[in-house]
Amino acid sequence: RRYSAPTDGAIPPNKAKYVPTEGTYPKGFVVGSAHAQVKASNTKFDDLALIASETPCSAALVTTQNHFQAAPVSVSKKIMFQHQSKSIRGVVINSGCANAVTGKGGREDAMRMAKLTHDLLNKRNPTEDDQDVSAIRTLVMSTGVIGQRLPIDRIEAKIPTLVESLGNTHDHWLRSARAICTTDTFPKLLSRQFTLPSYPGITFSIAGMTKGAGMIHPNMA
Amino acid sequence: TLLGVICTDAPIQKTALRTLLSTATNSSFNRITVDGDTSTNDSVALFANGMAAPGSDVLEKQSEDYKEMNKVLTSFMEDLAKLIVRDGEGATKFVTVRVTKADNHTAAHVVANSIATSALVKTALYGKDANWGRILCAIGYAPGNTCIRPNQTSVSFIPADGSEELKLLVNGEPQAVDEARAATILEMEDLEILVKLSNKEKDVGEATVYTCDFSHEYVTINGDYRT
């Protein structure tokens, strides 16, 4: 049986080639992770991740078209709509519990998770924009078991640690990619550099993390 | 569930960002399948803070920069999406299903999906069985108006080592399959299944879907996931 498989956290030898040992990461983004023991059986591995821009930024979001959209999906879409996809700070993610089919309480939990993270991000990097606007500008995502409420008190207790953990090294990115995993056997992280025709002499960076192993047949819009 | 977060320090206008993400998603994350189940939580976010070129004009739709960014993002997201398939629960194989010469792209995608989600095709791949009959069966029941012409349909395995394709069916006629070679090809971790739906000169409809095999381990993992 696997949870955060293999249970000792070791990456299977045939998958190690897919895990980068270094990377080039975009300027102004910081990432972190923390352990909130969202799933009781996970006593070892980080299960909270935060990816944030040090300044408010443009954002875009695609989500599942499943009619039973999980609470964090509804909440993130609402945040994006309210702020017209601009001045977004980042996204807080938990693994271990999907916060799906959890009704009004689930939406309140997702909102609490996003709000506390956003408030702490604002304290860390205050901006003029944020001083005038108290609304939440941090997205929220969850993955894991469906039909169970989030242990929101445990999560909230660890969000300060999560924000304190932010950094921009390869290790920060890799740990964060690991924290969003469920039955994945390895963290999925890529980074790349590129140039654009109208910006001579400037090298841009792109980095991304993803997770998924089962319940995979996406049809996002 | 699929989650994804992508960050760039390029300066991209928000409407352009939305279109870029939507376009790239349709040819990456929306082209993979592990078990055919669409999650309640699938989400991918793209952030652009412009920090690599502060004070510059932002990238807008229809510019040359937009076209280049579209290429970069699509290729990047395709590579991320493939990692998920490689880590499919219990998977031992990474399989590319490419359907060509369909009447249109939608029909090609539907047929590719039908093959890529067939439990019997996926268990045959796990068992290293060149069971092309199951592939044809999945093509035949693909939903919607796919305009399948059995006597023009061809199926091949394309080996990952670059060696010659193994023809299984040509214009609806089964080929004498070298079982030893088929077994060698199916031993490899990567495999491509190529389906030609017609003899048209021009390739009107084409689609690629990435999938994996289906093993005992998948059942073991999911039989008690909740508890």
Side-chain angles (χ1 to χ4, degrees):
Chain A
R1 178 178 179 189
R2 302 190 308 178
Y3 169 66
S4 290
T7 48
D8 62 358
I11 294 164
N14 64 333
K15 306 291 185 189
K17 62 188 170 194
Y18 302 117
V19 182
T21 54
E22 57 184 6
T24 50
Y25 297 100
K27 292 186 179 88
F29 283 98
V30 283
V31 301
S33 64
H35 177 63
Q37 204 171 351
V38 174
K39 191 168 180 176
S41 59
N42 172 25
T43 57
K44 289 182 187 170
F45 303 107
D46 285 355
D47 47 14
L48 289 180
L50 175 58
I51 299 98
S53 174
E54 290 180 316
T55 55
C57 66
S58 299
L61 179 71
V62 287
T63 61
T64 182
Q65 295 186 78
N66 189 315
H67 287 292
F68 286 95
Q69 291 193 333
V73 174
S74 310
V75 168
S76 290
K77 284 168 71 175
K78 190 175 174 185
I79 292 168
M80 289 289 282
F81 180 76
Q82 280 176 338
H83 301 294
Q84 299 176 2
S85 309
K86 61 182 182 183
S87 299
I88 302 295
R89 294 304 296 263
V91 58
V92 59
I93 306 172
N94 78 271
S95 60
C97 175
N99 191 10
V101 207
T102 45
K104 186 168 172 281
R107 290 190 291 278
E108 288 168 358
D109 292 342
M111 197 68 89
R112 280 172 62 180
M113 196 169 149
K115 184 175 187 327
L116 178 58
T117 308
H118 185 75
D119 290 345
L120 292 175
L121 280 175
N122 277 350
K123 277 187 188 165
R124 187 178 186 273
N125 290 105
T127 68
E128 258 179 49
D129 200 17
D130 288 325
Q131 284 161 11
D132 297 334
V133 181
S134 58
I136 306 164
R137 290 171 186 262
T138 298
L139 308 182
V140 57
M141 295 181 187
S142 298
T143 177
V145 179
I146 291 175
Q148 292 179 3
R149 288 285 295 273
L150 279 181
I152 191 64
D153 293 336
R154 287 209 296 276
I155 290 173
E156 281 188 329
K158 288 294 177 181
I159 287 177
T161 310
L162 179 65
V163 175
E164 282 167 21
S165 77
L166 288 171
N168 58 6
T169 67
H170 172 70
D171 192 50
H172 282 93
W173 280 86
L174 198 58
R175 285 178 67 95
S176 194
R178 180 69 188 75
I180 65 174
C181 291
T182 51
T183 54
D184 306 60
T185 66
F186 65 94
K188 296 160 188 69
L189 172 68
L190 290 178
S191 64
R192 220 166 265 175
Q193 292 190 308
F194 61 97
T195 56
L196 294 171
S198 301
Y199 301 85
I202 297 177
T203 301
F204 297 101
S205 298
I206 186 167
M209 62 181 75
T210 188
K211 65 80 52 182
M215 199 178 273
I216 298 291
H217 189 78
N219 182 21
M220 296 179 287
Chain B
T1 292
L2 167 99
L3 297 183
V5 181
I6 299 153
C7 306
T8 180
D9 51 17
I12 308 173
Q13 194 262 345
K14 65 171 185 175
T15 311
L17 198 69
R18 193 183 308 150
T19 313
L20 283 166
L21 179 63
S22 177
T23 306
T25 298
N26 280 335
S27 56
S28 59
F29 289 117
N30 282 357
R31 297 293 172 124
I32 64 170
T33 185
V34 168
D35 48 21
D37 277 312
T38 301
S39 170
T40 51
N41 290 56
D42 291 337
S43 307
V44 174
L46 171 62
F47 299 101
N49 66 6
M51 290 290 281
S56 302
D57 289 341
V58 292
L59 185 159
E60 293 187 355
K61 280 175 81 172
Q62 308 312 328
S63 64
E64 286 302 309
D65 294 327
Y66 178 87
K67 288 174 191 165
E68 181 61 24
M69 189 70 219
N70 192 34
K71 278 188 208 163
V72 169
L73 183 66
T74 300
S75 159
F76 187 78
M77 286 176 59
E78 281 173 1
D79 288 346
L80 277 174
K82 287 176 189 174
L83 288 176
I84 290 178
V85 177
R86 290 198 180 278
D87 202 19
E89 284 172 340
T92 66
K93 288 195 184 308
F94 176 85
V95 183
T96 302
V97 180
R98 190 153 63 96
V99 175
T100 63
K101 299 185 187 295
D103 278 10
N104 52 63
H105 293 307
T106 304
H109 188 194
V110 168
V111 170
N113 252 339
S114 188
I115 298 165
T117 53
S118 161
L120 285 176
V121 169
K122 288 156 74 78
T123 50
L125 291 168
Y126 175 66
K128 303 179 178 66
D129 177 7
N131 197 328
W132 50 267
R134 290 180 181 176
I135 297 171
L136 286 178
C137 177
I139 295 169
Y141 66 65
N145 185 17
T146 50
C147 299
I148 304 297
R149 302 168 187 86
N151 61 353
Q152 290 188 26
T153 301
S154 300
V155 177
S156 299
F157 283 166
I158 311 292
D161 62 3
S163 60
E164 195 183 351
E165 70 178 300
L166 179 69
K167 293 180 179 176
L168 304 167
L169 187 88
V170 176
N171 291 329
E173 290 297 324
Q175 304 299 291
V177 176
D178 178 346
E179 291 290 347
R181 176 140 194 271
T184 304
I185 291 171
L186 287 165
E187 281 292 333
M188 298 175 202
E189 185 180 329
D190 287 23
L191 171 72
E192 179 178 326
I193 299 171
L194 173 63
V195 176
K196 293 176 188 166
L197 287 179
S198 73
N199 293 321
K200 289 175 185 173
E201 287 294 311
K202 199 177 169 191
D203 201 358
V204 181
E206 184 172 339
T208 302
V209 170
Y210 302 98
T211 188
C212 56
D213 56 344
F214 187 26
S215 72
H216 307 274
E217 181 72 359
Y218 181 87
V219 179
T220 305
I221 294 164
N222 287 288
D224 66 352
Y225 185 77
R226 191 176 66 100
T227 50

